[in-house]
Amino acid sequence: MKKVDIIHGGWLKAPNGASSVLRTLAESTSKFEEYGIQLSVYSMDLIVLKSFENIAAINQRKGLRYFIKKNANANSILAFISIYAIYLRHARKIVKYYFDQGLEESRILFIHDIFTCYYYLKYRSRRQKTVLVLHNNGDTFNMLRQYYPVLNKSRLYSILLYIERKVLSEVDKVLFVAENPKDTFVQLHPDIPIEKVGFVYNGILSKEMHICPEKHLGPLEICCVGSVSKRKGQDMIVEALVKMSPVQREKVHFTIVGDGTLRGELEKLCFEKGISKYIDFIGVSNQVENYLLRSDIFMLPSRDEGFPISILEAMRAGLPIISTNIAGIPEMVFSGINGIVISPCLEDIYDILCHIESYNWSAMGKLSYELYQQKFTLDSMIESYANICLLYTSPSPRDMRRS
């Protein structure tokens, strides 16, 4: 049995795509054993138990944390304090835990964020084959620049670039979650050998979803799942609804599942513009599948992504997808086949909502489910990971001579 470890500087139950993937892998150790692999996952759950059920209340608490979060997008010092608090300190803790437990025994190590990888490489005492998996669009810190625009002009940004250089020079392989991000990374880093870079599609567990071929009469129910933020683009949905005529609005209803710093602002805008009846903000929910199954369309108007798990979940529920032409999304959504691909801009969102009745959404939903079954199941993802593990854990000629 070949030993493979995953180190994660976050919590498996956290409401984000990377944690969702790792939680799925952690729950699939028996499937890895079928490939002769003993998989272990080490995450912050082993150090500190944390609940994610009251994120909305936590986000609204006044105090130092609230002050930093509110002002970090405009102040570089606060931005770096926020990055340290959210990413770096947890990355350092889980790496220290891994070393303190004497766990450096695996032949291959997967790390799904660059900060955890940095601390592992900095403090390791022996060499393990190390694979960095990045859940982004191929530009390492693009997501952070979206959350903290002040980074673009900050001298402190050089610290992040130093971390990136160290990690990329020392890891054995860099994987992305789709081909487009991999290609973007190769263009941005021509100094990295092409054979060192690859991709593995995310996958999710197949479920009996009881998909209804026809949903309901009345306005089309459109579901959007994700953190409520500029990056995910829910603000453009609200702006498009404001721009639409009353007659056009009657054709749609939105359900926004998720929470974030932008939620309160968008709810206030909807109330002020008199469009609250056309959009519900649910917050964080453990009933996402139910919202998907009662919807006609899934929409994710993101400005920045890697390979969104929320789209895979919607495809599994048999929903047609409206999403943007960024990162790995066009590898999930084929315009006119299982959904519509648009640019991440108000004009395109407004246009498709005004012409929402012009498409055969039911037919596209059926093709969406078929595409999920063909390419994005959990079994497909595990097979891809297992093939990489077996490649790196195969005995070297030196090992064979010793035996």
Side-chain angles (χ1 to χ4, degrees):
M1 194 73 71
K2 300 171 178 64
K3 191 173 188 305
V4 175
D5 290 343
I6 294 175
I7 306 179
H8 179 47
W11 286 262
L12 298 185
K13 292 184 179 180
N16 61 65
S19 290
S20 176
V21 170
L22 294 175
R23 182 171 64 250
T24 301
L25 292 175
E27 294 169 350
S28 305
T29 54
S30 61
K31 289 183 177 290
F32 279 94
E33 288 174 1
E34 296 173 9
Y35 291 91
I37 295 168
Q38 179 188 342
L39 179 70
S40 301
V41 179
Y42 302 95
S43 68
M44 285 295 294
D45 306 82
L46 297 172
I47 302 174
V48 179
L49 293 177
K50 186 174 181 179
S51 172
F52 293 90
E53 295 179 358
N54 297 311
I55 291 179
I58 293 172
N59 285 339
Q60 297 306 315
R61 286 178 188 168
K62 306 297 181 180
L64 181 59
R65 181 183 298 181
Y66 177 85
F67 174 81
I68 292 173
K69 182 177 290 188
K70 184 177 180 180
N71 296 281
N73 63 337
N75 182 290
S76 61
I77 300 296
L78 294 180
F80 269 81
I81 291 174
S82 183
I83 291 169
Y84 174 80
I86 296 172
Y87 304 106
L88 286 163
R89 69 187 178 114
H90 299 138
R92 192 170 184 272
K93 280 183 180 180
I94 192 59
V95 168
K96 185 177 185 299
Y97 174 88
Y98 185 75
F99 290 147
D100 287 347
Q101 302 300 311
L103 297 170
E104 288 182 275
E105 299 176 357
S106 67
R107 292 289 298 276
I108 181 171
L109 185 67
F110 286 86
I111 304 179
H112 283 248
D113 76 274
I114 195 166
F115 298 120
T116 302
C117 195
Y118 167 73
Y119 282 116
Y120 166 76
L121 295 171
K122 181 177 181 180
Y123 296 122
R124 66 180 176 180
S125 59
R126 60 185 292 270
R127 186 172 183 83
Q128 296 166 285
K129 289 290 185 181
T130 307
V131 179
L132 172 64
V133 185
L134 293 174
H135 297 249
N136 58 35
N137 70 347
D139 181 349
T140 306
F141 297 118
N142 185 64
M143 184 186 74
L144 289 181
R145 296 198 305 272
Q146 291 274 334
Y147 286 133
Y148 310 107
V150 71
L151 289 177
N152 292 300
K153 300 178 181 179
S154 172
R155 293 182 180 179
L156 293 174
Y157 189 62
S158 61
I159 298 172
L160 298 182
L161 295 179
Y162 166 77
I163 290 173
E164 180 186 47
R165 286 194 301 271
K166 177 176 176 60
V167 169
L168 296 182
S169 66
E170 295 190 28
V171 294
D172 296 284
K173 188 128 185 126
V174 183
L175 288 181
F176 291 87
V177 289
E179 187 171 14
N180 181 278
K182 182 209 77 172
D183 293 341
T184 299
F185 176 85
V186 169
Q187 293 174 5
L188 292 173
H189 300 277
D191 55 316
I192 304 295
I194 187 69
E195 62 273 12
K196 189 175 178 176
V197 187
F199 74 94
V200 171
Y201 285 133
N202 287 333
I204 56 175
L205 181 66
S206 298
K207 290 184 178 181
E208 191 69 34
M209 299 292 287
H210 303 292
I211 300 168
C212 300
E214 301 295 337
K215 302 295 181 181
H216 48 68
L217 299 175
L220 287 167
E221 182 64 46
I222 305 174
C223 186
C224 175
V225 179
S227 60
V228 183
S229 61
K230 284 281 187 181
R231 189 170 77 90
K232 294 291 184 178
Q234 294 94 339
D235 58 302
M236 291 185 287
I237 292 176
V238 173
E239 290 174 17
L241 285 172
V242 171
K243 189 176 179 181
M244 293 164 69
S245 70
V247 173
Q248 291 169 331
R249 287 192 208 112
E250 293 295 334
K251 299 176 183 179
V252 297
H253 180 269
F254 279 90
T255 299
I256 308 295
V257 183
D259 198 13
T261 54
L262 202 60
R263 178 182 170 186
E265 178 183 329
L266 294 183
E267 287 182 304
K268 181 181 178 182
L269 179 61
C270 289
F271 176 77
E272 292 173 347
K273 297 296 183 179
I275 61 168
S276 296
K277 65 177 285 189
Y278 304 104
I279 183 167
D280 292 329
F281 289 86
I282 303 301
V284 176
S285 173
N286 57 7
Q287 302 294 322
V288 172
E289 289 180 10
N290 291 338
Y291 287 111
L292 293 175
L293 290 173
R294 70 181 66 162
S295 299
D296 300 287
I297 302 167
F298 182 83
M299 187 172 191
L300 188 68
S302 297
R303 295 177 171 96
D304 172 70
E305 281 292 353
F307 196 76
I309 293 295
S310 61
I311 289 182
L312 292 187
E313 292 173 338
M315 292 171 65
R316 182 179 62 185
L319 289 181
I321 312 298
I322 301 173
S323 196
T324 48
N325 56 354
I326 60 170
I329 292 175
E331 296 169 53
M332 315 162 81
V333 185
F334 297 87
S335 208
I337 306 298
N338 70 315
I340 302 295
V341 177
I342 60 176
S343 297
C345 64
L346 172 61
E347 291 74 17
D348 278 17
I349 295 171
Y350 170 76
D351 183 68
I352 198 164
L353 292 182
C354 289
H355 298 90
I356 200 75
E357 295 178 317
S358 302
Y359 302 91
N360 188 340
W361 297 111
S362 178
M364 286 194 281
K366 293 175 182 177
L367 292 173
S368 211
Y369 178 74
E370 291 177 10
L371 183 60
Y372 155 72
Q373 290 278 33
Q374 292 169 10
K375 298 181 65 176
F376 304 124
T377 62
L378 172 61
D379 288 342
S380 297
M381 178 174 67
I382 289 176
E383 182 179 3
S384 297
Y385 272 91
N387 287 336
I388 295 169
C389 293
L390 294 173
L391 174 67
Y392 277 106
T393 56
S394 298
S396 66
R398 178 180 297 179
D399 293 334
M400 295 179 68
R401 286 196 298 270
R402 286 177 178 173
S403 61

